[in-house]
Amino acid sequence: MTISEYIELLFNDYTLRTITLGTAILGAVCGMLGSFAVLRKQSLLGDAISHAALPGIAVAFLITGAKDSNTLLLGALISGLLGAFWIKSIITKTHLKSDTALGLILSLFFGVGMLLLTFIQKQPNANQAGLDKYLFGQAATLLEKDVWFMAIVTSVCLGVLLLFWKEFKLLLFDPDYTKTLGFNIKFLDTLITSFIVAAIILGLQTVGVVLMSAMLLAPAAAARQWTNSLAIMVALAATFGAFSGVIGTGISASYPNLSTGPVIVLVASVFVIVSFIFSPGRGLLFKEIRFRKNRNDLKLHKTLSFMYDIAKNHDDISHPHTVKILNNFQGYTKKSLHKLEKENLIVLIGSNWSLTEEGFFKAKNLYNQHIETND
Amino acid sequence: MTSAQIEIQLIACIVAIACAIPGVFLVLRKMALISDAISHAILPGIVVGFFVTHDLSSPLLIIFAAFTGILTVFLVEFIQKTGLVKEDTAIGLIFPALFSIGVILIAQNANDVHLDIDAVLLGELAFAPFDRLELFGTDVGPKSLWVIGTILIITLSLLITFFKELKVSTFDAGLASALGFSPVVLHYGLMTVASVTTVGAFDAVGAILVVALTIAPAATAYLLTKDLKKMLFLSVGLGVFSAISGYWLAHGLDASIAGSIASMLGVVFLSVFLFAPSTGMISVMYKQQRQKIEVLLLTFLLHLKNHKEKKERHVNHLGEHINWQKSQAKSVLELALKNNMIVINDDIASLTEKGNVFTENAINYITDHSEEAIEEMKKDFFLFRG
């Protein structure tokens, strides 16, 4: 299937269109809110909450006895929030650290959820089949109304985010200052945590409990590498998330036996790897290049200063010396000599070198913080 | 009890003990979530190992998976060292990616692999007794009992041999390396044990509940004691208790055994979290409440001491001057009266002799921290104890 065929299919096929739209919206909202989670050092909150949502789904089913996805998601939301606030109270009220609190809530809630799910499965009610799709997610079950629901939640999130942008930004980088300015940081904190929980719950149906945390984290971690501005980071993360959704859905639709959730996560991971390596400011590749360049510069400087030490003992600084003198000094290569010549710092004649005026001046002031001007 | 029931409980207990021991060190080293990461990330290792061995409880599979676990730790540390993201983000990026690879591998080979993600993630203890190990033609017990039993023996012997080293490196990594134990070797050793235990246990209780068995007993024990040896014994005890009571809960509800064990762990943790004598929520809140009132009382006594005028010492004046609410003012007054600090005549409060001395001592304590002056008062008040 070529790309153009795929795009044509995208417009004609109801299921594919719905799923693509759904995963794109999900990726965008997760990227947007994930940026806050990553910057607040709550990266793994997503993992904990997505697991903590499971008992809520089971309890909602037990109470209503129906498989209406909205009530189930409401149950998930409540138990997710319960988990989030319990984590918070463990961290603030006891000496247990955040990693322990997250791991505890994650595994304990999930265990209760498993208990309830297996209990439900034994009930004489034919309706219960398919509850476990929330474990691993099934993008294929997305309906148009689900996508509408996602779109509405996303726009509410976006609206509130824009409304409280200044406050959230302040809270993110300096909570104490925010408090002294008189903002209600408890309210803001609860608001942003609730939105993160809501985004996670939205994704459960599509990518499932286990992989939800990556949806939240990966686009944000990738976006972080390209910018130091919060607004750009949020926008970039939303874009990365949306593209992961669209590309992941495309790949999984084009091959048999590929579930959508894991493919989306892998696509998002590719975004992360590419960002880690190729981002201009922080990326590993450019860091390495800069590192090498600095090392070469340092070597050139060393060579130059060695030459200066020799030349300063002569009345004529441009007196030629043989290259052989440099032999007991390890810092030079043919290449570095040519480079020095190219920068007009030395002159090479045959196997002799001599410092230029400019080279002598530069070498003299190499380690001098206050460079004297020559004129 | 049938023999199968006894065997299931035995396996559950041994899994609980084997998980609890590395769990204590993971919790103390603030690396609890690495167990979550390992338990998910070993999936591709298990799948590849399964392609090779075609046997879910083969020792080779454990080696494959343990290798993947260590690879996970290595990758997390590699990403962390680049400084591009924080440690928790590094964990959150690595394990879903590896898990996804595992899921896709299973789905791609669904036809020739009898391996279910549900089985890996959730496990089923109830079936463990049916997979028997036969040695020289005789039945020697369930296979998973032997696997996890061996792991437990190795863990225990490592723990006893390297207890001192582990202890020092956990609480003071700098001292440990100064004394000549390599923190890196200990770190990776612990990670290897954690990986191997996770792999050995996932077959019985599933990947996610391994996390519960690893973290929950250790965290609960940590709330109850600050002594490493006591913490180890307590977490083993709590793990075994939850394993057995969880089994009977599952038996009663006809539900997943692993799920019930985790739920029991949750119940145990919740009750300790709420009711632990000195670190529990209730005692912490009670203490905070007491301290708040005591601070108020002190403020009130200082106020009385500073003002001789009747107007300032009128009971109703408290609300106006120090901005207290009625109930708050009342509880402070009652506390002061109960301790014979003040007397009230015609709604005018004045310090008694005892109250006067107390206030003076308190001022001394606050200004120059002379501990001796308040030895007597410590009996009555929380405030000066810490």
Side-chain angles (χ1 to χ4, degrees), chain A residues 43 47 86 95 99 118 282, chain B residues 30-32 36 84 89 222 256:
Chain A
S43 302
D47 191 32
W86 196 5
H95 57 270
D99 62 317
T118 46
R282 299 158 58 100
Chain B
K30 306 185 191 86
M31 295 191 305
D36 180 41
L84 295 173
T89 314
Y222 196 21
S256 142

Side-chain angles (χ1 to χ4, degrees), chain A residues 89-97, chain B residues 223 273 279-281 284:
Chain A
S89 76
I90 291 178
I91 298 172
T92 52
K93 292 280 187 307
T94 72
H95 57 270
L96 296 178
K97 297 290 177 294
Chain B
L223 286 181
F273 176 66
T279 46
M281 273 286 268
V284 166

Side-chain angles (χ1 to χ4, degrees), chain A residues 175-200:
Chain A
D176 294 331
Y177 182 54
T178 319
K179 202 171 181 180
T180 58
L181 283 182
F183 290 111
N184 187 345
I185 61 167
K186 239 182 194 160
F187 169 74
L188 289 172
D189 198 68
T190 311
L191 198 65
I192 192 84
T193 309
S194 314
F195 276 131
I196 293 173
V197 175
I200 291 164

